[in-house]
Amino acid sequence: MVTPFASPCPPVQWVLQITGRRRRTYPKLSSPCSNRWSRPVLPGPKPGLGWGGDVFPPRADERSWAPPTPTSAQRAWRRAISVPELWLAILGIGLYAPPAMRVAQLSPDAVEYIDIARRLAAGEGFLLGIKAYHVGGNDILHDGMAERAPLYPILAALLLRTGAGLAGLQFANVVLAGLCIVLVCGLGRTLFGRQVGVLTGLLAVASPVLLVRLVPPMTEALSASLTLLAVWLVTRFGSPPRAAAFVSAGAALGLAYLMRPTVAALAVALPLGWLLMRCRGQALGRPLAAFGVGVLAFVAPVSVYSLLTRGTLSYSGQSYLYAVFRDADVLRNGFRGPLPTPLEFVTDNAAFVVAAIAENTRSYSGLLLFDVDWLLPLAPAWPVALWMLARGRYPRRVWPALVVAAINFLTYAATWANFQERYQLMTLMLLLPFAVHGLSGLGLDRLVWSFGPIRTGRITLLHLVVLAVVFVWSATLVRQYGGTFTYGGEPVGTRTDRDLRWTGPPRWVQDGDLTRLLDWIDARTEVDDSLAHGQPWPLTFFTGRSSTLLPIRLDQPRLQQFVEWYRVGYVVIDTRDRDRRGYQGYLEALSGLGVRWSAVGAYRVFDTRALWRRA
């Protein structure tokens, strides 16, 4: 007998329940699944009636069966695994972690942070043993806050005390990179919906900029995650405003300020963006007061400390970057006398400052929009995004992210003396959701292909475009797995010294005599001796000796004055360095004053302690 049925057979029904598709009305034909599916192991919605409405005698277990009630832990687990941000974070951490755990990624900035953390962990205090900026006093081992923010070295020192090592520092940054991916995805989801959020998070995972900039042991990962958290909190809970969210957002920016002083500008930008987002009639004073309390909880103590010890509210000692034409004027071109104040420099060189800011603006814009590792693959989205912004088509909640991105861009464009690509990392992450939404505005999500046995799968042209960008961007990650990293836009390999596999500037990695020089320093110098070299960072990192950057264009009297001023024990001259190899003749001429030298491969090491001991 043919049994009519109006609902799908069990396997089809389970597929429809999993995929969330609406149940269809099927023709009244016999079930293709035979009667064995009429008595499933898991009873159907109508016990005793079968799956097609045909009558069967109910079994005893069918009479008493009821779906089990999930526990609270089960419900929490089911909610957690249904959150796309979680899976994207796991994907990002899983992809970033292997290269980060195998290879230490060094740079001058990273070495200085590590040096402060090591000395903190050893109980020596917040001291930096590398004098690269020739301003301030003559102590090579000096206060680390003169050049580096305090929070990251303190946290790094705590990790080093646990025995985590450099691999632990980089893995912690990998976890923070995963948090950045979560927040970028969450921000896109809050602004433009689930699809845009998930695709934005996928782009963040594949972005070579995030991979290269967030993993090394520096402040970028923690600073970026805290800033993104503040923006997401205000965007998500800013209308209607919740005081707890504003306190948390202020606290996040206050902590970020302890890693990057320029976050002070973002602490002004975020409330401004919220004011543009705020609807008429909503509370104004209470959210702003809550935000200010969160910021001041961390900014006030360090400002008071700085005022008492340095005479200024800003803890950063790098205000001299606003008193020079280029940062090289206090680095390799330094040791040339006192600097003017920033106000005096700007007043005397107003035309140069305006031109330099305009040049920085052009360079940063080109980096963001026309570099294949940044936003160039998403270029078709920007006309749509600008049109929607000009026509007021965006929802009001986009303003916090847009204002923070704009202020971040302008803040570093105004730092004319120091162009650094990593400074625009925050701008990139805040613009990613707008890029994906702009692609969606081109109608790419309207071209749909369905697939599967009952055509439950669905993919759009937007998905294919994003996957193509992911494929292009993933080349950097593939190269890292193969042992090739990127520094300053150039590919660089790895090397092993002191049982540490590391990478860094090509000049360090490709130096065949570096190992011999390190061994000589360990064997022939004392721990308290200081060094001067054109590349002091690897010397201090591997030997623990304090060191200073040897400037260029010094004549013999000025070089002797430099050695005596900093009380340099050993001057290391690289004969391959065209800017400094002339110093060899100057120092050899001082042999009558007790200067002695040794040859170590391509290096000449001069013992200059006699110059300042006699003084």
Side-chain angles (χ1 to χ4, degrees), residues 100 103-115 152-153 156 165-171 173 212-221 541:
V103 181
Q105 301 177 31
L106 303 181
S107 66
D109 293 317
V111 168
E112 292 187 9
Y113 282 116
I114 294 170
D115 186 66
Y152 180 77
L166 290 182
L169 293 182
Q170 294 193 161
F171 182 75
N173 275 7
V212 172
R213 302 299 178 184
L214 293 182
V215 174
M218 294 172 58
T219 62
E220 267 66 30
F541 178 81

Side-chain angles (χ1 to χ4, degrees), residues 113 126 143-152 219 253-264 298-299 301-307 309-319:
Y113 282 116
F126 199 91
D143 181 12
M145 286 183 66
E147 282 134 30
R148 298 297 165 189
L151 184 56
Y152 180 77
T219 62
L253 283 184
L255 286 170
Y257 172 77
L258 298 182
M259 285 175 293
R260 194 172 291 280
T262 50
V263 171
F298 295 98
V299 173
V302 72
S303 299
V304 171
Y305 170 81
S306 177
L307 186 63
T309 58
R310 303 165 60 89
T312 176
L313 287 174
S314 175
Y315 71 83
S316 174
Q318 290 192 317
S319 60

Side-chain angles (χ1 to χ4, degrees), residues 139-165:
D139 292 327
I140 295 180
L141 184 63
H142 61 287
D143 181 12
M145 286 183 66
E147 282 134 30
R148 298 297 165 189
L151 184 56
Y152 180 77
I154 293 174
L155 298 178
L158 294 176
L159 281 176
L160 292 179
R161 287 291 295 269
T162 65

